[in-house]
């Protein structure tokens, strides 16, 4: 009982607890990681609250399949330094989201996908999140935030679908998911060029919580 | 440890002591088993709903019923509400029986059980309303966690006091397992509370604490209780002494030393030495499991039919192969290459189902079905229904376990091929995965039937002594008795 506690709790606590941001390797030597900014941090809360981590991992392992799909480099403890809580996930019913922002940087795409995943990915298994949106009558002018949806997912004539604050911050969090900085303990694999970092064979659409 | 102790029925005095021990656990057993059955119904229904979402993702699209909340709530209710609570009840019953004494300070179990169940209720509520911690294995906020820990301490204290006043000096094999189990839960659970809620650790350390805690509860704490039950029940039902005490001791020591080191799956974003140590422990932990299986099979001998004929007997018979399968799969999955293929697939859920549901869950269910008529002195109302509970629960575990393992293997091998798109890899596993809905249906059926049977049993017991005489006479049983007296 005590030995396992010392080995798997106390010793890692000394090692991981002392972890600090480190200079990234390569073009920029800025410290990595940095804390999530306001909207992204709020989005992380929505991500945690909805239990997105039960379907989506945020951990690129060092094997070829993971690196080529979810790349560009493997994930290490330092990546989660400021995550409260870290959400590496336990299952991949949906795509890994470590680099969701690099793969799909279009916020409008993410919002439409959250509202109705099958509007973007045919036969998607992801549940829709209509409670993150408001379907309302169009006022004097349509809201600039209104989603552009095609039939059969478009709202009735005279109505529009507008994202609530939760949906907006969640998308901000997803767009912030980029592990494009090389670290001493996790360098970019030489087989993957920088320009290929965001171009993986991950499904084009399936990037959402 | 004593190797071949005479069975408790061997002398009249021992038999009397056993009856007295059983009677002392009546109220505690009824409360814990009934509440466990209640949570099992709720957990199985949520599990069924989470499974149905893979047939129609849009089903139940409110925030409360989204998959990311329903699935962990189901897991939480089945693990802490049903399995852990029933295991605590079985542990107290076995301690009292093996000690040859009535359960000391049994009244403490009632407030303890109340606190535990309030913790479970508020914990499940927190998960469903989006207030979970997000840490896998320890999703509940501080309040429910503290309530559950306090409840456990109140429930475990009578067990400890009873063990301290035990009648016989040599230790039964099962008593050693139970003594260790008494302390294991507060140790692992309080560590999680401390490092997650009181002095929160940083970064991946939080995940490591959650995984270590959950692994210790399922692979050590609940496993110790399940071993204790099997090492007691199998010889008792087969009417043969345990084949080998030293082998049981081997199982005990290796489980205690090595299984507690299993927490970090290969490929986790933590230092490599942690993955190496954990993987090595997972491989070594196969030895005690195989030793237990060999020991129990040898003890069982040709008495399988005699065991099967007892209430819950089928559960014991199926739990032993589940332990064997889980041990072999766990050993295989500890290798880095295998984990790269099967990690992050349904395989891990399947392995968890076979070990926790198949080995621990069925063992505890078998013990509950055996114990309750002896605690209350009232036989089960319908033997056929009890037999059905065993068959349905066994079917549920087998169908869910096999479909998840199959889905995980198909999904993993497809995903390991870089040329296969992720969506295609996922779809390859979906066919077998959707079969698990049938298993969930059987699980709901088993939970509902066992809940009805325990409720009926409890009603029979309570209508005799707990309900005031005025109301008692208004009940059908009371009217019949009154008419009988008048006649």
């Amino acid at each position: 009982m005590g030995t396992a506690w010392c080995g798997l709790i106390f010793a890692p606590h000394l090692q991981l607890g002392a972890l600090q941001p480190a200079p990234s390797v390569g073009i920029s030597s800025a410290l990595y990681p940095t804390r999530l900014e306001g909207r992204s941090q709020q989005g992380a809360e929505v991500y945690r609250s909805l239990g997105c981590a039960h379907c989506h991992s945020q951990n690129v392992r060092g094997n070829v399949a993971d690196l080529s799909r979810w790349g560009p480099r493997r994930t290490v403890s330092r990546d989660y330094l400021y995550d409260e809580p870290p959400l590496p996930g336990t299952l991949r019913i949906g795509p890994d989201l470590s680099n969701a922002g690099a793969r799909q940087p279009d916020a409008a795409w993410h919002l439409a996908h959250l509202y109705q995943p099958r509007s973007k990915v045919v036969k998607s298994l992801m549940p829709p999140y209509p409670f993150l949106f408001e379907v309302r009558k169009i006022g004097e002018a349509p809201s600039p935030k209104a989603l552009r949806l095609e039939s059969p997912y478009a709202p009735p004539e005279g109505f529009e679908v507008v994202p609530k604050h939760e949906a907006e911050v969640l998308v901000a969090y997803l767009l912030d998911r980029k592990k494009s900085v090389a670290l001493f303990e996790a360098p970019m694999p030489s087989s993957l060029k920088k320009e290929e970092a965001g171009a993986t064979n991950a499904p084009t659409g399936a990037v959402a919580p | 440890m004593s190797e071949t102790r005479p069975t408790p029925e061997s002398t009249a005095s021992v038999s009397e002591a056993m009856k007295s021990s059983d009677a002392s656990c009546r109220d505690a057993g009824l409360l814990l088993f009934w509440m466990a059955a209640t949570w099992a119904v709720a957990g199985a229904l949520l599990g069924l709903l989470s499974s149905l979402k893979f047939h129609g993702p849009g089903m139940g699209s409110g925030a409360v019923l989204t998959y990311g909340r329903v699935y962990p709530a189901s897991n939480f209710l089945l693990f802490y509400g049903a399995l852990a609570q029933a295991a605590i009840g079985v542990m107290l019953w076995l301690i009292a029986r093996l000690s040859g004494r009535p359960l000391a300070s049994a009244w403490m179990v009632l407030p303890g059980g109340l606190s535990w169940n309030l913790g479970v209720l508020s914990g499940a509520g927190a998960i469903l309303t989006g207030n979970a911690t997000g840490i896998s294995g320890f999703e509940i906020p501080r309040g429910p966690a503290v309530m559950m820990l306090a409840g456990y301490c109140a429930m475990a204290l009578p067990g400890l006091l009873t063990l301290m006043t035990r009648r016989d000096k040599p230790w039964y094999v099962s008593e050693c397992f139970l003594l260790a189990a008494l302390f294991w839960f507060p140790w692992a659970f309080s560590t999680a509370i401390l490092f997650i809620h009181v002095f929160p650790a940083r970064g991946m350390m939080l995940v490591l604490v959650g995984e270590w805690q959950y692994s210790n509860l399922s692979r050590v704490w609940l496993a110790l209780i399940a071993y204790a039950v099997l090492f007691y029940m199998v010889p008792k039902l087969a009417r043969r002494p345990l084949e080998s005490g030293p082998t049981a001791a081997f199982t005990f020591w290796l489980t205690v030393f090595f299984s507690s080191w299993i927490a970090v799956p290969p490929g986790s974003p933590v230092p490599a030495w942690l993955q190496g140590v954990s993987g090595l422990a997972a491989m070594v932990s196969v030895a005690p499991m195989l030793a237990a299986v060999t020991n129990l099979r040898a003890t069982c001998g040709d008495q399988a039919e005699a065991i099967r004929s007892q209430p819950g007997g089928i559960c014991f018979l199926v739990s032993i192969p589940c332990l064997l399968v889980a041990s072999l799969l766990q050993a295989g999955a500890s290798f880095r290459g295998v984990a790269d293929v099967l990690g992050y697939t349904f395989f891990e859920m399947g392995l968890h189902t076979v070990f926790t549901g198949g080995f621990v869950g069925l063992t505890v269910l078998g013990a509950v079905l055996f114990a309750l008529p002896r605690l209350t002195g009232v036989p089960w109302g319908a033997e056929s229904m009890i037999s059905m509970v065993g068959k349905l629960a066994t079917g549920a575990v087998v169908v869910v376990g096999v479909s998840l393992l199959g889905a995980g293997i198909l999904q993993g091998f497809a995903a390991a091929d870089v040329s296969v798109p992720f969506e295609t890899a996922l779809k390859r596993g979906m066919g077998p995965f959707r079969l698990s809905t049938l298993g969930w249906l059987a699980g709901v059926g088993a939970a509902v039937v066992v809940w009805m049977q325990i409720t009926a049993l409890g009603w029979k017991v309570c209508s005799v002594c707990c309900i005031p005489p005025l109301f008692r006479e208004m009940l059908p049983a009371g009217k019949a008795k009154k008419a009988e007296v008048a006649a």
Side-chain angles (χ1 to χ4, degrees):
Chain A
M1 198 192 284
T3 55
W5 190 89
C6 289
L8 291 184
I9 300 294
F10 185 65
H13 192 58
L14 295 180
Q15 186 180 1
L16 295 177
L19 213 55
Q20 294 295 332
S24 53
V25 179
I27 306 164
S28 162
S29 59
L31 287 180
Y32 175 87
T34 51
R35 287 186 188 278
L36 286 176
E37 289 177 6
R39 283 168 67 83
S40 292
Q41 182 58 46
Q42 290 176 40
E45 282 296 301
V46 178
Y47 187 90
R48 175 200 55 75
S49 156
L50 291 174
C52 304
H54 287 283
C55 293
H56 294 276
S57 61
Q58 287 194 42
N59 175 28
V60 181
R61 297 170 297 175
N63 59 48
V64 178
D66 268 27
L67 287 171
S68 61
R69 271 201 189 92
W70 319 117
R73 64 161 172 83
R74 72 186 179 92
T75 319
V76 291
S77 306
R78 202 182 303 274
D79 287 316
Y80 303 92
L81 195 56
Y82 291 128
D83 289 3
E84 294 172 356
L87 298 160
T90 52
L91 194 60
R92 276 185 195 146
I93 304 175
D96 185 280
L97 298 181
S98 304
N99 291 289
R103 274 204 305 275
Q104 178 52 272
D106 182 3
W109 186 96
H110 283 289
L111 286 167
H113 187 237
L114 278 173
Y115 178 69
Q116 179 46 263
R118 292 190 176 188
S119 68
K120 294 294 176 188
V121 182
V122 181
K123 292 188 179 178
S124 170
L125 281 173
M126 189 172 123
Y129 291 84
F131 50 87
L132 296 177
F133 297 83
E134 186 185 352
V135 180
R136 66 185 187 197
K137 269 189 175 174
I138 299 175
E140 289 177 2
S143 167
K145 291 180 179 176
L147 303 189
R148 284 193 291 274
L149 296 163
E150 291 173 9
S151 177
Y153 305 107
E157 192 66 38
F159 284 79
E160 61 184 358
V161 179
V162 182
K164 291 182 186 170
H165 178 69
E166 288 90 340
E168 289 178 330
V169 295
L170 180 55
V171 169
Y173 171 72
L174 290 174
L175 294 180
D176 219 13
R177 302 287 85 199
K178 293 171 192 165
K179 301 279 190 295
S180 50
V181 174
L183 291 171
F184 175 72
E185 67 269 34
M188 296 287 178
S190 54
S191 59
L192 288 171
K193 292 175 188 168
K194 263 184 193 157
E195 58 268 26
E196 289 174 343
T200 68
N201 76 344
T204 45
V207 189
Chain B
M1 286 189 218
S2 167
E3 286 183 30
T4 52
R5 300 287 303 272
T7 52
E9 291 89 344
S10 59
T11 63
S13 65
V14 171
S15 179
E16 282 306 310
M18 199 164 66
K19 279 183 184 167
S20 150
S21 304
D22 284 355
S24 69
C25 297
R26 188 193 70 169
D27 295 348
L30 268 177
L31 170 76
L32 297 182
F33 297 152
W34 186 78
M35 283 307 302
T38 306
W39 292 127
V41 172
L45 282 172
L46 288 177
L48 178 64
L49 179 62
S50 70
S51 176
L52 284 172
K53 280 180 174 284
F54 288 90
H55 298 267
M59 193 182 298
S61 54
V64 173
L65 295 181
T66 194
Y67 178 82
R69 293 184 185 174
V70 169
Y71 174 70
S74 160
N75 256 356
F76 173 74
L77 286 178
L78 289 176
F79 190 82
Y80 291 101
L83 185 53
Q85 183 160 214
I88 293 168
V90 167
M91 178 171 71
L92 295 177
W93 167 66
L94 266 187
I95 285 175
R97 261 206 168 195
L98 294 171
S99 301
R101 301 273 184 207
L103 189 65
S105 306
W107 62 270
M108 290 183 71
V109 178
L110 300 182
L114 190 67
S115 176
W116 177 277
N117 284 294
L118 281 174
V120 170
L121 180 67
S122 49
I127 295 171
L128 286 172
T129 53
N131 292 308
T133 59
I135 295 165
S136 174
F138 200 82
E139 300 263 5
I140 50 173
R142 185 197 295 206
V146 171
M147 273 195 272
M148 287 172 66
L149 181 62
Y152 177 85
C153 292
M155 290 190 281
L157 197 59
L160 190 62
L161 293 174
T162 312
L163 271 178
M164 285 165 66
T165 56
R166 49 197 298 284
R167 201 170 63 168
D168 301 328
K169 287 297 167 197
W171 285 75
Y172 283 103
V173 165
S174 297
E175 280 181 302
C176 300
F177 286 86
L178 294 171
L179 179 63
L182 271 178
F183 291 99
W184 216 277
F185 180 88
W187 175 259
F189 206 72
S190 61
T191 294
I193 293 177
L194 197 69
F195 282 93
I196 291 175
H197 289 309
V198 182
F199 305 110
R202 295 169 74 215
M204 277 304 291
M205 195 56 215
L206 281 170
V207 178
L208 190 58
V209 171
E211 283 178 351
W212 180 82
Q213 181 266 166
Y214 193 71
S215 176
N216 265 261
L217 293 192
S218 62
R219 290 174 199 278
V220 186
W221 179 58
L222 286 175
L224 286 173
I225 296 174
Y227 282 134
V229 171
L230 287 174
F231 286 139
Y232 175 75
M233 293 302 304
V234 171
K236 184 174 185 61
L237 297 179
R239 298 193 174 279
R240 298 168 60 156
L242 184 64
E243 181 70 15
S244 169
T247 310
F250 174 81
T251 298
F252 174 78
W253 288 113
L254 262 73
T255 302
V256 164
F257 275 118
F258 292 106
S259 294
S260 54
W261 282 84
I262 309 171
V264 189
S268 291
V270 292
W273 71 269
L274 284 169
Q275 300 172 41
V277 166
S278 212
L280 188 65
M283 285 181 215
V284 176
S285 296
V286 173
M289 294 184 189
L290 291 179
V293 170
T294 314
N295 203 0
L296 289 165
R297 290 302 303 169
T299 306
C300 191
D302 55 358
Q303 296 297 308
E305 206 48 51
I307 296 175
R308 192 192 304 273
S309 63
Q310 295 288 331
I314 190 173
C315 298
F316 300 126
L317 291 179
V318 177
S319 72
I320 299 170
C322 281
L323 177 61
L324 177 66
V325 171
S327 65
L328 296 177
L329 291 178
Q330 179 186 294
S334 313
F335 290 98
R336 182 62 186 259
V338 180
D340 273 349
V341 174
L342 298 177
Y344 284 122
T345 69
F346 296 116
F347 182 85
E348 288 176 4
M349 286 166 81
L351 184 55
H352 180 68
T353 304
V354 174
F355 185 80
T356 310
F359 167 52
V360 181
L362 288 179
T363 302
V364 169
L365 175 64
V368 170
L369 296 180
F370 179 87
L372 260 176
R374 287 159 180 82
L375 298 186
T376 56
V378 179
W380 286 113
E383 289 285 338
S384 60
M385 297 296 268
I386 294 305
S387 167
M388 195 169 77
V389 168
K391 286 174 186 163
L392 279 173
T394 303
V397 167
V398 170
V399 172
V400 174
V402 170
S403 57
L404 290 179
L405 290 172
I409 290 169
L410 288 176
Q411 182 194 355
F413 277 99
D417 184 350
V418 178
S419 64
V420 176
F422 174 75
E423 288 166 330
T424 310
L426 185 62
K427 274 177 193 161
R428 288 205 186 148
M430 268 301 130
F433 178 80
R434 285 184 175 127
L435 283 178
S436 67
T437 305
L438 292 175
W440 279 110
L441 272 173
V444 170
V448 169
V449 174
V450 81
W451 182 86
M452 286 165 61
Q453 292 298 312
I454 295 177
T455 305
L457 197 71
W459 182 251
K460 277 183 198 167
V461 175
C462 294
S463 63
V464 172
C465 64
C466 301
I467 298 175
L470 179 65
F471 296 106
R472 207 182 302 158
E473 287 178 7
M474 293 161 69
L475 297 169
K479 282 179 185 169
K481 196 169 183 181
K482 199 175 174 184
E484 192 182 314
V485 170

